[in-house]
Amino acid sequence: MKKVALLATALAIVTTGSAFAADMAVKAKKAPPVAAFDPWDIAFGGALVSDYIFRGVTQSNHQPSVAAYFEPRYNVTKDLQLYAGVSAESISFANRAAAEVDVYGGIRPTFGAFAFDFGIWGYLYPGGSCADNVLTGGVPGGNVCAVSTTTIFLADGNVMKKNVSFFEGYAKLNYTINDNWAVGVNEYYSPNFLNSGAWGNYASVTAKYTAPSTVFGPSGVGMYVSGEFGRQWFGTSDAFYGTGAGTVFANGIPYKDYNTWNVGIGFTYKVFTLDLRYSDTDLNKGDCNAFTSAFNATGTTNVTPINPSGAGSNWCGAAGIAKLSFDLTAMTNLK
């Protein structure tokens, strides 16, 4: 009787084991579902900044500015992305343009730790009016703007074209050293910077340190420190910006080349970033005035070869910047 019981138990174990093994074999043949590759993505976001600084020069008269962008992307492969985008920023120019609207597009190939970015960027400034001065010859108008009821007259002696839109071609390279460090180089060129008639070339180097994700414990807050050093070169403007009949630069101003730099610290939480930054240039107030056509230049002692009026502008000086922004992508944040 014991032998019969033992035999029945053994058969049960063998049967159960065989069934389990068979089930395992069937399950092993079922490959996990493969998610379909969706090449399309959309990045978008916005920002509030205490001062819109572009290459060391304020675009908002050191006042707050708002910005937003929308960027569709197409990933040809995981290492090759095509993109196009549009962004807008509030500004404060002498010609009273309504805003800066940027239209851009390019390609981003990646080779291991090397990330490249090549493209064209168009800077559009709709809604501007020609700005003339009230000082030339002691009579209203410097005779650089066509007769119009919309002409703006600037008391500081500056002038500015109605249309200052322009475009640049650019190339960027970012190299990721490790999880914490990355460095980059950037190159931008425009044949007609700010529609001034002068070519412009900007080159810079960047560095960024990203702190370990545990720096603030499990809070989810991240931190980085980054900086940039760049140099802006210029050609000579057309006669619209000339220093006046009979002067050395009557037919155009050879804008002053300058260096610019910035350094800052940032804090991230989910899709939000708070960036605190210091920016500066080596442009003096006189040459800054000649370049920017600031509508609020003051004084008479900032005389330089390209700024004979002596008015000076603080638009190119030291500035502290606080920026709160949010950035999302459809594939990551909207699923």
Side-chain angles (χ1 to χ4, degrees):
M1 193 68 179
K2 289 182 180 180
K3 290 182 179 179
V4 173
L6 289 173
L7 180 59
T9 301
L11 287 172
I13 293 173
V14 171
T15 304
T16 303
S18 299
F20 181 74
D23 186 53
M24 286 292 289
V26 171
K27 288 181 179 178
K29 291 178 182 179
K30 293 181 180 178
V34 178
F37 174 69
D38 187 350
W40 288 100
D41 202 355
I42 297 175
F44 58 96
L48 173 63
V49 60
S50 62
D51 191 352
Y52 174 22
I53 300 288
F54 178 71
R55 298 177 190 169
V57 180
T58 182
Q59 309 290 285
S60 59
N61 186 29
H62 293 305
Q63 299 300 308
S65 173
V66 293
Y69 74 94
F70 179 81
E71 184 184 293
R73 300 169 175 175
Y74 181 78
N75 298 296
V76 181
T77 68
K78 67 181 183 64
D79 296 318
L80 181 61
Q81 182 182 89
L82 307 178
Y83 66 94
V86 60
S87 65
E89 298 82 15
S90 59
I91 60 171
S92 185
F93 279 10
N95 69 355
R96 296 299 189 266
E100 176 183 314
V101 179
D102 304 321
V103 180
Y104 60 93
I107 182 172
R108 295 179 179 131
T110 301
F111 301 94
F114 295 90
F116 293 86
D117 189 350
F118 306 100
I120 296 177
W121 196 290
Y123 303 81
L124 309 177
Y125 303 94
S129 296
C130 190
D132 212 332
N133 71 69
V134 297
L135 302 180
T136 303
V139 296
N143 296 318
V144 297
C145 292
V147 176
S148 173
T149 57
T150 62
T151 299
I152 298 169
F153 292 101
L154 304 177
D156 61 5
N158 285 329
V159 298
M160 193 173 198
K161 291 181 179 180
K162 175 180 179 178
N163 176 24
V164 294
S165 301
F166 71 106
F167 74 91
E168 289 182 316
Y170 59 87
K172 306 177 189 179
L173 168 61
N174 190 75
Y175 175 67
T176 301
I177 300 172
N178 52 40
D179 290 341
N180 303 111
W181 286 97
V183 294
V185 292
N186 306 288
E187 166 65 22
Y188 296 80
Y189 177 80
S190 172
N192 190 5
F193 192 86
L194 278 173
N195 194 32
S196 64
W199 57 263
N201 186 81
Y202 179 74
S204 73
V205 293
T206 62
K208 182 177 182 179
Y209 169 76
T210 302
S213 59
T214 56
V215 66
F216 292 109
S219 66
V221 176
M223 185 187 77
Y224 65 84
V225 177
S226 64
E228 178 183 23
F229 179 85
R231 183 165 179 81
Q232 178 77 61
W233 292 270
F234 292 115
T236 299
S237 76
D238 55 35
F240 181 95
Y241 291 103
T243 54
T247 64
V248 176
F249 302 123
N251 295 321
I253 300 175
Y255 290 128
K256 184 73 172 180
D257 304 335
Y258 69 92
N259 297 321
T260 179
W261 53 91
N262 67 77
V263 62
I265 184 171
F267 302 92
T268 61
Y269 180 72
K270 296 184 178 179
V271 301
F272 298 99
T273 300
L274 174 63
D275 188 281
L276 306 174
R277 192 158 299 273
Y278 168 83
S279 173
D280 204 353
T281 77
D282 62 357
L283 270 177
N284 62 48
K285 288 187 175 182
D287 291 334
C288 178
N289 179 59
F291 168 54
T292 62
S293 295
F295 57 79
N296 56 355
T298 59
T300 58
T301 60
N302 299 286
V303 176
T304 72
I306 63 173
N307 190 60
S309 73
S313 171
N314 69 347
W315 285 12
C316 309
I321 312 155
K323 179 180 180 181
L324 178 63
S325 61
F326 68 93
D327 302 275
L328 304 92
T329 58
M331 294 300 292
T332 302
N333 304 105
L334 301 183
K335 279 189 171 183

